[in-house]
Amino acid sequence: MCGWAWPALIEPLLEMLGEAGPADPHRVVLIAGDSLGYVPWHAARSSDGTRVACETFAFSYAASARQLAAVAGRARTGAGGAVALVADPTEDLPMAREEAEALRRELYGDAEVLDRSTATPEAVLRHLRAEPGLALLHLACHATAAGDPDASHLLLAGWAALPVSRILDVARTRPAGAAGGTVVLSACSTDLAGSVFDEALTLSTAFLAAGAVSVVGSRWPVDDRITACLMVRFHLYRAGGLDDRDALRAAQLWMLDPDRAVPPAVAALLPRDPAVLAEPSSWAPFAHHGR
């Protein structure tokens, strides 16, 4: 698929926009129709195998131009906004727990950590409704993409489901003009629609509708250890001043780099064979929505 995606999209974009270097990439928002929403376009690979699309492009995705325009006009919650970390609420993802602990220890010392007893659907929804607004909600947990988009859900404390339908309830009651923050869905298949692909309703796009300014979600099932490496690196890049789209791209390029420098915060999370980080199944599932 990555090989097919290069001539299908990247070559025409290069003809239209010209070349760009890794330090100053083209910034492109993709609104994919039908089953093209499955494709990780940022992972497209040239026929000779020497180039990957995210080296030249900083891609973001949108379900529709309407949602993109709504998010573009939404204010971002300031530094005083709350930070919440959902950490392995079902107690069977030990690396998800380590991921959340590393984020709190290294970057978000004042964050509220929601765990097996406190990470309930009601607690997550409360954070979405919070005033003056949530700055960051990071969820390291299980998720399921259902055939019925409304039924796609996160699995939280006590294996309780938080479905898309309840997240959208927040969207219906959200005050006009309310600021939003970043939601990171560090879980399986959170940017995947099982059906109704046009203007796709996924967990990622549902959180955007519920008031987030920026969402990171995944296109397929992910390994919790490899995901922990990517996520901590992503947050370190955010802390260094990059916006969410550029921070995700930087973290993915870091995983692709065989000579990558490993920050201390990531070292304990590395898999036994770090070369696996460069495989598309490891670095490419996550995509950015919003701004």
Side-chain angles (χ1 to χ4, degrees):
M1 183 180 288
C2 295
W4 166 85
W6 187 272
L9 177 67
I10 305 307
E11 286 180 358
L13 280 178
L14 288 172
E15 291 175 6
M16 182 187 307
L17 301 174
E19 294 289 346
D24 188 23
H26 296 302
R27 287 173 168 78
V28 177
V29 179
L30 297 178
I31 302 173
D34 202 62
S35 56
L36 294 177
Y38 283 131
V39 180
W41 297 100
H42 51 282
R45 187 176 295 274
S46 62
S47 58
D48 61 6
T50 61
R51 300 177 65 185
V52 177
C54 63
E55 294 172 332
T56 305
F57 297 91
F59 282 124
S60 189
Y61 296 83
S64 67
R66 180 179 181 180
Q67 185 172 66
L68 178 63
V71 173
R74 191 175 294 162
R76 182 177 283 277
T77 303
V83 175
L85 307 173
V86 173
D88 182 27
T90 53
E91 293 192 292
D92 63 339
L93 292 171
M95 291 308 301
R97 193 178 321 124
E98 291 196 30
E99 173 186 320
E101 290 172 354
L103 292 176
R104 183 190 57 77
R105 181 176 63 250
E106 300 291 334
L107 297 170
Y108 307 116
D110 295 330
E112 180 181 0
V113 178
L114 303 175
D115 57 18
R116 63 185 179 87
S117 58
T118 55
T120 62
E122 292 71 23
V124 172
L125 294 173
R126 184 181 71 248
H127 278 289
L128 290 180
R129 298 188 184 101
E131 294 293 340
L134 188 73
L136 172 67
L137 174 61
H138 181 101
L139 297 111
C141 60
H142 285 297
T144 297
D148 175 1
D150 283 347
S152 294
H153 58 272
L154 300 172
L155 285 172
L156 300 173
W159 294 85
L162 175 57
V164 160
S165 56
R166 291 195 67 189
I167 298 167
L168 292 180
D169 286 339
V170 176
R172 298 185 185 100
T173 59
R174 179 179 176 274
T182 296
V183 175
V184 181
L185 299 170
S186 180
C188 296
S189 306
T190 51
D191 188 29
L192 179 67
S195 63
V196 193
F197 302 112
D198 289 332
E199 300 191 18
L201 178 58
T202 69
L203 283 159
S204 292
T205 59
F207 274 101
L208 276 183
V213 167
S214 177
V215 176
V216 172
S218 62
R219 296 279 170 93
W220 57 76
V222 293
D223 177 86
D224 58 339
R225 178 176 289 277
I226 292 170
T227 297
C229 294
L230 175 64
M231 286 299 166
V232 174
R233 200 69 188 93
F234 161 72
H235 282 279
L236 289 171
Y237 281 121
R238 285 184 84 241
L242 294 182
D243 64 23
D244 294 337
R245 171 171 52 181
D246 288 344
L248 178 61
R249 172 178 175 267
Q252 291 172 326
L253 291 175
W254 174 82
M255 292 181 74
L256 280 164
D257 183 1
D259 300 318
R260 69 184 76 82
V262 180
V266 180
L269 306 173
L270 287 174
R272 183 175 290 107
D273 178 11
V276 73
L277 297 178
E279 296 179 3
S281 59
S282 298
W283 68 266
F286 286 95
H288 173 260
H289 285 255
R291 63 172 179 83

